[in-house]
Amino acid sequence: MNPSFPEISKIPFEGPSSRNPLAFKHYDSAKVIEDRTMAEHLRFSVAYWHTFRNILSDPFGAGTAIRPWDDGSNSVENACHRARVAFEFIEKLGAPFYAFHDRDVAPEGASLAESNRNLDAVVKVLKEEQQRTGIKLLWATACLFTHPRFAHGAATSPNADVFVYAAAQVKKAIEVAHELGAEGYVFWGGREGYSSLWNTDMKREVDHLAKFLHMAVDYKKQIGFQGDFYIEPKPREPTKHQYDFDAATCLNFLREYGLLEHFKLNLETNHATLAGHAMHHECEVAAAAGALGSVDANTGDELIGWDTDQFPTSLYLATQVMLTILKMGGFTKGGLNFDAKVRRESFEPVDLFYAHIGGMDVFARGLKIAAAIRADGRLAELVKNRYASWDVGIGAAIEAGQEDFTSLEKHALSQPDPVQHTSGRQELFENIVNELI
Ligand code: XLS
Ligand code: NI
Ligand code: NI
């Protein structure tokens, strides 16, 4: 096969002083930080749907993307060729993982059986390319939102036949994930939500969603798939209200239906901001529940209220995410998947490289800064001091479960009323972070 990016060779690490736009300034895959290499910490993944299927259209205009290797057809042949191009790209970039929806990699057929055959044909190529390059599948998922049959949702559709179809499609997608040795499988409820409560039996729909996921868990066990299952929170878009609203909502749902031991969360930055949260908040909520599985690393625009899926560029954001990830001991099967697309104006193939290089470098810096914050120790010390009253005396007794309201009342009456505690020192915290950035 002729290379599709003939002018571009493997992206090298050249260090912070390099001015080569096709080189990493910070991502040095073999560099060891806190006992792991950067590659092991960051586990970067290329999102097939954005990088190889997004034609860069918007509601006001046609696609602008120039992709000379793609004939624009829906043929299996084009899909197989595109898959080989995708691996050339990922290999040159030096990302160890990729992620896809079933319908990104292979065309939807005229029937489920035909769609399955199309998928099998492309999976054969993906498997060959994985073996040739050593690139692995971070996660797979099923597209349950593009086809008109899913207009009212998939597992939460009011139409039982659509639920059945979705189950069959997901069964196949899990088999494919298993076949390709995926580290995980994502459930993002593309249209699992509602546009109007007038026509919606919410309780019934959410019950159905839980049933669907229990069946998926059973099937995973049945075939021995070892990857992690994730659900991906998102508050809205395409529906007005998505049931997987944010991390806390997802955790509550998983607990309520006895699913928490079988699922972790795949957190996406832009979805966090749509929910009115900082990504750092979502990371802390998930990690506290032992459920931070994987991250869709992108960003929104502060002034645009929808899921713009831009490549991450903020050092603060990357630092915060990496601080939580280091604190939880690193990813196990998850990673940083660039669920991000180049802008409509960035239509040349080389822009795909610039975008990913930027995203990888910003997270490499975020990792270095997070590790520096931990090594410096001042932030942790300040936080520890802020809670010092819980380490001794009555605080320690409460934490140990030795007190009740009666004993606490006695204690309160026996000493002067507490006055204002020591300062929160927010500005000092912020200064220290900036010092280390
Ligand atoms: C869309 C979601 C989607 C999932 C995978 O907003 O982010 O891309 O990550 O279905
Ligand atoms: Ni996503
Ligand atoms: Ni998204």
Side-chain angles (χ1 to χ4, degrees):
M1 192 180 95
N2 290 329
S4 293
F5 308 97
E7 261 93 78
I8 297 170
S9 37
K10 175 119 194 180
I11 305 299
F13 166 71
E14 291 185 357
S17 61
S18 166
R19 292 295 172 264
N20 175 2
L22 288 170
F24 294 114
K25 318 296 184 300
H26 296 275
Y27 180 60
D28 180 2
S29 59
K31 185 181 166 65
V32 174
I33 290 178
E34 290 197 16
D35 300 334
R36 285 190 196 195
T37 65
M38 277 197 167
E40 288 163 346
H41 275 292
L42 298 165
R43 295 169 62 84
F44 289 124
S45 157
V46 172
Y48 206 95
W49 53 102
H50 281 314
T51 299
F52 301 106
R53 300 311 312 277
N54 201 316
I55 58 168
L56 307 182
S57 59
D58 72 13
F60 301 92
T64 58
I66 300 169
R67 304 289 182 251
W69 57 84
D70 198 311
D71 69 14
S73 77
N74 236 351
S75 71
V76 172
E77 200 193 349
N78 189 33
C80 290
H81 178 64
R82 189 195 290 124
R84 300 214 190 265
V85 174
F87 274 82
E88 182 196 333
F89 174 85
I90 302 167
E91 201 181 11
K92 286 183 167 173
L93 182 67
F97 294 100
Y98 72 117
F100 65 75
H101 301 81
D102 49 2
R103 302 297 178 252
D104 310 330
V105 288
E108 171 120 19
S111 64
L112 181 61
E114 190 184 324
S115 297
N116 287 349
R117 280 195 300 276
N118 292 350
L119 189 53
D120 287 337
V122 182
V123 164
K124 205 167 147 268
V125 176
L126 295 173
K127 199 168 181 181
E128 278 171 28
E129 290 293 305
Q130 285 188 201
Q131 277 159 358
R132 182 182 69 75
T133 60
I135 292 163
K136 295 201 263 175
L137 182 56
L138 188 69
W139 50 261
T141 185
C143 175
L144 303 177
F145 45 89
T146 301
H147 194 280
R149 74 172 63 88
F150 298 122
H152 304 272
T156 65
S157 173
N159 182 337
D161 291 332
V162 173
F163 180 105
V164 172
Y165 185 101
Q169 189 178 330
V170 167
K171 174 178 176 288
K172 177 71 182 173
I174 296 172
E175 287 162 12
V176 161
H178 186 39
E179 163 87 13
L180 292 173
E183 303 274 295
Y185 184 92
V186 164
F187 294 82
W188 172 62
R191 295 181 191 274
E192 314 293 28
Y194 59 79
S195 290
S196 167
L197 275 177
W198 293 120
N199 69 4
T200 301
D201 186 339
M202 185 158 80
K203 166 91 173 102
R204 204 166 181 187
E205 291 197 1
V206 177
D207 283 352
H208 292 167
L209 179 59
K211 270 211 166 58
F212 192 94
L213 296 179
H214 271 293
M215 290 184 206
V217 169
D218 291 344
Y219 191 63
K220 175 187 171 183
K221 284 189 196 146
Q222 192 183 318
I223 63 172
F225 174 51
Q226 297 297 317
D228 279 346
F229 269 1
Y230 309 114
I231 57 176
E232 181 177 323
K234 185 174 185 180
R236 69 184 78 86
E237 198 201 300
T239 67
K240 175 173 93 171
H241 179 100
Q242 307 257 138
Y243 295 133
D244 297 335
F245 197 91
D246 60 2
T249 308
C250 287
L251 290 170
N252 180 58
F253 163 80
L254 292 171
R255 271 197 201 96
E256 180 177 352
Y257 288 97
L259 286 161
L260 189 53
E261 62 179 301
H262 305 295
F263 283 83
K264 291 181 175 173
L265 303 184
N266 178 40
L267 299 175
E268 177 167 323
T269 315
N270 206 159
H271 299 179
T273 42
L274 286 180
H277 301 307
M279 180 59 167
H280 199 188
H281 168 92
E282 290 293 82
C283 289
E284 288 289 308
V285 169
L292 204 181
S294 202
V295 168
D296 271 3
N298 65 8
T299 192
D301 184 289
E302 280 175 28
L303 303 178
I304 301 178
W306 67 85
D307 198 14
T308 58
D309 283 347
Q310 289 168 233
F311 276 84
T313 55
S314 161
L315 291 180
Y316 286 100
L317 173 78
T319 301
Q320 290 165 342
V321 170
M322 292 318 299
L323 261 180
T324 305
I325 287 167
L326 288 178
K327 186 168 72 178
M328 76 171 192
F331 286 121
T332 46
K333 299 195 174 194
L336 296 170
N337 173 52
F338 292 115
D339 191 351
K341 60 185 177 218
V342 290
R343 298 302 84 196
R344 186 167 181 268
E345 302 86 338
S346 308
F347 40 70
E348 292 181 14
V350 70
D351 292 308
L352 297 172
F353 279 95
Y354 294 147
H356 285 85
I357 289 170
M360 289 163 80
D361 261 348
V362 82
F363 267 93
R365 283 181 84 177
L367 169 61
K368 287 196 274 187
I369 297 162
I373 288 173
R374 284 156 60 85
D376 173 86
R378 274 175 293 165
L379 284 195
E381 187 65 22
L382 282 165
V383 173
K384 192 175 184 314
N385 290 343
R386 194 156 178 250
Y387 294 87
S389 66
W390 291 92
D391 295 332
V392 292
I394 191 71
I398 296 169
E399 283 196 353
Q402 293 159 355
E403 305 293 332
D404 57 25
F405 265 15
T406 308
S407 69
L408 293 185
E409 181 192 46
K410 198 165 155 232
H411 191 89
L413 292 172
S414 73
Q415 59 172 26
D417 291 354
V419 287
Q420 203 173 9
H421 189 46
T422 46
S423 165
R425 302 257 188 268
Q426 181 175 329
E427 297 77 9
L428 175 60
F429 276 81
E430 291 165 346
N431 293 352
I432 294 171
V433 170
N434 274 356
E435 204 182 294
L436 295 168
I437 273 189

